[in-house]
Every structure is written in C-alpha cells, then in structure tokens.
Amino acid sequence: MKIVVLDGYTENPGDISWSPLAALGDLTVYDRTSYDESPRIRERIGDAEIIVINKTPISPATMDACPNLRAVAVLATGYNTVDAAYARKKNIDVMNVPGYGTDNAAQYAVALLLEACSHVGLHDRSVHAGEWTESADFCYWKRPLIEVSGKTAGIIGFGRIGMAVARVLRAMNVRVLAYSRSERAEGRALADYVPLDELIGSSDFIFLHCPLTPETEGLINAARISQMKDGVIIVNNGRGQLIVEQDLAAALRSGKVAWAAVDVVSAEPITADNPLLNAPHCIINPHIAWATKEARERIMQITADNVRSFIEGHPQNVVNR
C-alpha cells in the first residue's frame, strides 16, 4: 500500500516519529507541498492509494487526476480543505481525527482571554526592555488590567471544546452563556443556553467554537458587533472565516471591541494585507492552539489507526459517508 504525506511538517517537525504510518505501507513524507491548487499536488500523489494531509487542498480536479486514490487521512478534526462530497462520489473515504485536542484548545482559548485581560507578555517585554529598572514606582501597568471574575462569557458552539472552556471559566467565577444547535444535559450543567442575540448582547467575553459552515461564515460582522456590549473581548481559536475581519478591525479602532485575541485568520498563513495586522488591541497567534507535542502524538496514532482500519476493510472516523 502506497501512502504519501503531503504536508507533514506542522504535525511532525522532527520531535515525534512517522513510524506508526511507516509500518503500514510504502511511506513517502513531504514537509510541504502547496496551500493552493497546484499541479505539484497531483504529481506527488502520483499512484498512491492513501494520502495524508493537513491543509493541502484536495479538489475534484486532483481526485480525477489521481485514479488510484482511495482514502484521504486528515491530520486534524477539520477537513474543509478536502471536497468531501466529491470524494464520496469517487468512493474515496475522507477520515479525520476527532477529539484529540479538546483540552489543548480550551487551554489556549482561556490563555488568549487572559493575555487580553492581564497583558502578561506585554509587561514581560517591558521589564526586559529596562522599563521597570528605570521606573520611579515599585510597579506600573502599560494597559488597563481587567478582572475576569464576575464577568459573563458567551460561548458560540457548545460541543466538546466549548464545554471544556466553560469548565475553566466557571472555576474562575465567570457566568457562562451558550448558543448551540442542540442542547445537552451536560451542557445545561455548565451554562445557560440562550438565543444567539441574547448571548451577543449580554456577554463581556465572546468565544467562537462553532464549526465553519455556510450559516456560520461571517457570523461576527458589523451588525452583530453593534449589538455587543461596549468593551467586549472576542476570542477565536475556531476558524478565521467566522469573523468578517474588516468589520472587527473597524470595531477595534473605534473602541467598541476592547480586545480581540485570535489564533486563526481567514487566510493562513496570514496575508500582509489582513486588516487585523494593523488594528489596535488585537492579539494574533499563528494557529497553534492544537500543537502541543502530546496532542500531535495523539494525532499521529489516531491517523495511523484510521489508515490501518481502512486497509483492513473497516474504516473508522469517515466523515463523508
């Protein structure tokens, strides 16, 4: 069985092993191929039956050009870079890795909030630059510090990650509101389910943990921002396309939104003309909420299990059947 990894570097920059996949067939690993439609993608797939990807796009044209292809194993939970519906028509299984990083994503979401409220990194850089040494006072702060306790957080999308965030926030004495397509008993124990408009208008902090769909694309836009509290903080380590970035940048400049803290943007790597780059009070990280070594080791093992199950004829974690 020929297996090709098209963009393996972010999963494994050298600190873990490809051996779980290598044990399953003739494995070729490329660090990077292309984040855009490219003939190189088809060339590197060649006659492989299984490909492993993270963010390399797999289009209908690519699938048509690679007739041996039978399975796409995605090194992530999200699989929007693959045309899964067309893959189904071609009898190509698309497999993902669900649930590998719930605690990592929750940890990072809260870290983004705390950076916006406490400015730990800003003050560390200030001290190392000599500002404390030269200070006339025993302490100083370069930005207003915000107390998290006693505030209200609204979480849009209340699945595994949203609920994990809620558990942390409740331990910090934060009231949690949730908006979700479905309600669960587990969720009701952690938050008050409310309509989206109520969540938008009542929250001091808004977290985005919903999937990217045609209905949620551009969910945070000028109209919704206008309904928010003055001085709201928006945290997004879900999908960049959930936010209309030009609208958020304008709200940051006006002060309507006090801070935005994001780990994802609409086009990744971020483009030089992204409006958030020049917006005030905007923390941007390079899509790393998922990337602890522990989480990447889980991704590797689950992906290997997915490939093994496909080879053995009982595929698991198939998202397009």
Side-chain angles (χ1 to χ4, degrees), residues 108-313:
Y108 216 86
V110 175
L112 289 169
L113 173 68
L114 293 179
E115 183 61 29
C117 292
S118 299
H119 313 300
V120 174
L122 171 68
H123 289 97
D124 170 72
R125 292 189 295 273
S126 167
V127 170
H128 280 90
E131 292 186 50
W132 197 13
T133 301
E134 299 169 1
S135 175
D137 302 300
F138 78 93
C139 74
Y140 62 90
W141 49 94
K142 298 179 71 64
R143 301 281 189 190
L145 305 177
I146 300 168
E147 186 172 41
V148 171
S149 176
K151 300 296 196 300
T152 297
I155 301 177
I156 301 175
F158 212 53
R160 287 188 300 265
I161 295 172
M163 286 192 280
V165 171
R167 292 187 189 96
V168 179
L169 293 174
R170 281 168 57 90
M172 300 174 71
N173 192 37
V174 175
R175 182 192 177 205
V176 181
L177 306 178
Y179 172 75
S180 182
R181 292 175 297 180
S182 59
E183 297 186 13
R184 309 182 198 176
E186 182 183 2
R188 284 191 290 271
L190 295 168
D192 298 321
Y193 283 101
V194 296
L196 181 58
D197 285 346
E198 181 177 343
L199 182 150
I200 290 288
S202 301
S203 300
D204 301 293
F205 316 133
I206 294 176
F207 292 82
L208 302 180
H209 292 296
C210 53
L212 178 62
T213 67
E215 293 73 31
T216 62
E217 185 172 2
L219 180 72
I220 302 302
N221 51 41
R224 285 235 164 80
I225 291 171
S226 72
Q227 300 169 3
M228 296 177 185
K229 287 184 175 183
D230 293 344
V232 67
I233 295 174
I234 298 173
V235 177
N236 183 20
N237 61 330
R239 287 290 182 267
Q241 298 93 328
L242 298 172
I243 294 175
V244 179
E245 291 166 334
Q246 190 65 52
D247 293 351
L248 177 56
L252 287 163
R253 286 193 294 270
S254 73
K256 174 68 176 180
V257 176
W259 282 89
V262 304
D263 185 50
V264 289
V265 293
S266 58
E268 296 173 354
I270 194 168
T271 57
D273 61 350
N274 188 297
L276 295 181
L277 281 173
N278 295 314
H281 298 174
C282 189
I283 298 163
I284 308 174
N285 275 197
H287 200 148
I288 53 174
W290 65 281
T292 64
K293 183 178 180 182
E294 295 90 341
R296 289 183 289 108
E297 287 174 336
R298 285 192 292 272
I299 291 171
M300 183 72 75
Q301 189 55 59
I302 295 170
T303 299
D305 291 343
N306 287 346
V307 171
R308 180 184 296 105
S309 71
F310 174 81
I311 293 170
E312 292 175 350

Side-chain angles (χ1 to χ4, degrees), residues 59 72 88 134 150 185:
S59 67
V72 180
R88 181 179 181 179
E134 299 169 1

